[in-house]
Amino acid sequence: MEEAKPVPRVGVVVFVLKGRSVLLGRRRSSIGASTFALPGGHLEFGESFEECGGREVKEETGLEMGKAEYLTVTNNLFLDQPKPAHYVTVFLRAELADPDQVPQNLEPDKCDGWEWYEWDKDKLPQPLFWPLDQMVRSGFNPFPSP
Ligand code: 8DG
Ligand code: MG
Ligand code: MG
């Protein structure tokens, strides 16, 4: 049988904000393995971006977020994979519903663990997952303007 033609997929990822920090975890998934990335995952049929972001953050970290806000979208080709992939990635931001919540590593097969990192290009962990790295290099700031 012929292999199915690859199609673009939609990823929804969240800058979970706490003070001046964002939540990042080192990926174990094949795309971006061992780089630091935001929590997030695939948009499911019928979901809003905000529902997807809240669900993925909960599934991956156990954290309950407050209201999510749309930030931007990027178009990402991962051609150097055994199976090339194409993601339209939607970036949201949200604060925690209760700021005292502690992230848990609920999908240890996909991530080494979650930590808060100050949003400062010299303090962020390296290497960043390249779609995120590009945003940092372009001067992107996920925090609301004061
Ligand atoms: P799921 O089965 O839970 O739905 O998916 P997942 O295993 O959690 O998917 P994912 O790889 O974490 O996210 C989907 C895609 O989103 C990822 O393969 C590429 C794209 N993506 C980016 N930037 C980021 C990012 O910073 N974090 C995450 N998690 N995905 C990102 O382009
Ligand atoms: Mg997921
Ligand atoms: Mg994920």
Side-chain angles (χ1 to χ4, degrees):
M1 210 173 76
E2 233 179 277
E3 266 199 41
K5 199 170 161 218
V7 293
R9 300 186 73 187
V10 179
V12 177
V13 303
V14 186
F15 289 95
V16 183
L17 308 180
K18 182 174 158 139
R20 296 302 304 162
S21 298
V22 303
L23 190 70
L24 298 174
R26 199 193 271 266
R27 286 170 70 80
R28 300 181 71 98
S29 323
S30 61
I31 298 180
S34 87
T35 63
F36 288 86
L38 301 166
H42 299 93
L43 186 70
E44 291 182 359
F45 187 90
E47 269 185 329
S48 68
F49 299 150
E50 293 78 8
E51 285 166 347
C52 177
R55 175 182 57 73
E56 285 287 343
V57 167
K58 181 87 188 167
E59 286 174 3
E60 297 183 354
T61 71
L63 297 171
E64 197 76 57
M65 29 186 252
K67 194 174 167 332
E69 284 176 86
Y70 168 83
L71 291 178
T72 191
V73 65
T74 62
N75 190 34
N76 303 301
L77 282 172
F78 302 91
L79 296 177
D80 56 343
Q81 298 294 313
K83 257 177 94 182
H86 179 180
Y87 282 95
V88 173
T89 309
V90 176
F91 291 80
L92 306 177
R93 75 166 163 231
E95 294 191 342
L96 295 175
D98 162 7
D100 294 333
Q101 294 173 87
V102 174
Q104 300 162 260
N105 190 16
L106 296 182
E107 295 183 344
D109 53 324
K110 290 189 179 176
C111 179
D112 281 346
W114 300 103
E115 294 286 348
W116 301 104
Y117 295 94
E118 197 178 325
W119 188 260
D120 175 321
K121 70 173 172 31
D122 300 321
K123 292 188 185 159
L124 287 168
Q126 295 295 334
L128 291 172
F129 190 23
W130 70 255
L132 185 61
D133 192 53
Q134 279 190 345
M135 291 169 88
V136 172
R137 286 170 192 271
S138 75
F140 184 83
N141 182 346
F143 290 86
S145 38

